[in-house]
Amino acid sequence: MQIRVALCDDETAGHETAKNLLSEYKQKDSSVSFALSCFSSGRELLNYIDTHESFQIYILDIIMPDINGIQLGAALREKGDDGLIIYLTSSPDFALESYSTDALHYLLKPIERNQFFQCMDRAMNRLNRSLTETISIKTSGSTRIIPVHNILYAERVNRFIRYNLDDGTMIDSVTFNGTFQSAVSPLLSRHDFLIVGSSFVVNLYHVTEVTNSEMLLDENHHVPIPRRTYKTVKSAWADYWLKKGETHVI
C-alpha cells in the first residue's frame, strides 16, 4: 500500500528529517511505502492541491511565515480535506490550538524517533480502517455489503449496474432510475474513482496502464476509453499516481 504524504516546513532540514524517518518506518513495516511531496510554505501546498489530488497524511510545521500550520490545517478542513494532520513545532504553546483542526497528533522538535513511529502507527491504523469502507449494493435477492477497495470498476448494463470485484466476482444491482452518474455517486464521491465515458466508473488504484483506447486493470480487465476523453483520463490517472510534482517514493 502506498500512502501519499505532504510535508510542509519552511526549513529544508525538516524535509530531510521527514524523508529519513519515513524510510526507517518503512523498514519496520515493509507492507507500506510513501509518496512524499515536500513544500516550503502553506500557500505552495494549498495551490498544489487546488490542481492536484489531496494527500492522505499532512505533516505540517506550525511556525511558518505567511500561513502558519494551524491556519493551513484550518484551510485544508475548509476545503473538505479529511487527510490526517500531524503537527511539528519547537514550541508547546500551540498544542491546544492544534486540535481545533482535528489533528491526529502533535510532535515537538527535534522529533524523537519512537514518538514519530507511534504516531505513524496511529495513522496507519486509521488509514487501514478507511480501506475497509463499504458500500451497500441492492440486488434482486438481497443487499450486499462490499468493501469499496475491492471494486475494480462498475459498468452500466441496460438499466442495472454491474460491479466487477478484484476476486473475479460480478454483482448486479437492481434496476436504477435516473442517471448512471447519480446511481454511482457513492463511488464518485471518493478521490480514487473516475467516471469514464457514459457507462463506466473505474477505481484508479487498480489501473495498471492507459492506452489511447482503453484502461488496463488488475486481473486482466479492460475498460474502453472514448477517443475524445483519452487525454482527460490519462491525466487523471497520472495525477493519481505521479502527482506531477516532486514526489519522493520511500
Side-chain angles (χ1 to χ4, degrees):
M1 178 172 60
Q2 186 174 82
I3 306 300
R4 303 182 307 279
V5 181
L7 170 71
C8 191
D9 192 334
D10 61 315
E11 298 180 356
T12 55
H15 298 187
E16 290 302 316
T17 298
K19 291 176 192 176
N20 292 335
L21 286 171
L22 287 173
S23 181
E24 289 183 38
Y25 186 84
K26 184 182 184 301
Q27 293 177 16
K28 183 178 81 76
D29 184 356
S30 60
S31 67
V32 300
S33 63
F34 301 97
L36 175 66
S37 297
C38 297
F39 304 89
S40 297
S41 73
R43 185 66 60 193
E44 182 185 3
L45 172 56
L46 291 174
N47 289 340
Y48 182 88
I49 63 176
D50 279 342
T51 55
H52 297 75
E53 190 179 18
S54 58
F55 296 86
Q56 293 162 290
I57 299 176
Y58 294 92
I59 303 176
L60 309 178
D61 187 30
I62 289 184
I63 302 175
M64 294 187 292
D66 188 19
I67 302 175
N68 68 39
I70 303 296
Q71 295 168 327
L72 177 55
L76 291 170
R77 296 303 186 227
E78 287 174 5
K79 290 176 176 290
D81 196 312
D82 59 357
L84 304 179
I85 295 177
I86 300 170
Y87 281 121
L88 308 176
T89 185
S90 56
S91 170
D93 296 340
F94 298 93
L96 184 60
E97 190 177 357
S98 70
Y99 290 99
S100 66
T101 59
D102 190 28
L104 175 73
H105 210 69
Y106 178 103
L107 295 173
L108 286 175
K109 292 181 176 181
I111 306 169
E112 201 276 324
R113 179 177 178 274
N114 288 338
Q115 288 186 344
F116 181 82
F117 279 16
Q118 290 172 11
C119 180
M120 289 302 300
D121 284 343
R122 290 182 59 195
M124 296 309 302
N125 287 337
R126 184 86 65 89
L127 290 173
N128 284 333
R129 287 199 300 271
S130 72
L131 287 178
T132 61
E133 290 178 2
T134 60
I135 65 167
S136 60
I137 303 172
K138 189 173 182 180
T139 70
S140 59
S142 65
T143 297
R144 299 281 302 272
I145 305 299
I146 304 298
V148 174
H149 187 68
N150 294 139
I151 298 173
L152 295 174
Y153 64 96
E155 62 179 313
R156 176 170 59 185
V157 180
N158 297 320
R159 295 298 297 174
F160 64 88
I161 299 170
R162 175 166 292 161
Y163 295 85
N164 295 269
L165 308 186
D166 57 3
D167 64 356
T169 301
M170 292 187 297
I171 300 174
D172 292 340
S173 74
V174 295
T175 301
F176 67 89
N177 297 314
T179 66
F180 173 68
Q181 187 164 346
S182 176
V184 295
S185 59
L187 296 180
L188 293 178
S189 66
R190 299 174 54 87
H191 71 273
D192 37 5
F193 281 83
L194 177 71
I195 192 163
V196 179
S198 59
S199 301
F200 293 90
V201 172
V202 177
N203 187 342
L204 295 173
Y205 180 83
H206 291 290
V207 176
T208 59
E209 184 180 351
V210 176
T211 73
N212 59 6
S213 61
E214 62 183 0
M215 304 179 83
L216 281 60
L217 291 83
D218 296 337
E219 309 304 322
N220 201 32
H221 284 266
H222 302 254
V223 170
I225 303 174
R227 183 178 300 176
R228 68 183 184 280
T229 64
Y230 163 70
K231 289 184 178 179
T232 300
V233 170
K234 179 84 172 194
S235 177
W237 181 64
D239 281 350
Y240 181 79
W241 286 112
L242 304 179
K243 304 298 177 291
K244 293 182 180 177
E246 184 184 0
T247 299
H248 308 273
V249 178
I250 297 172

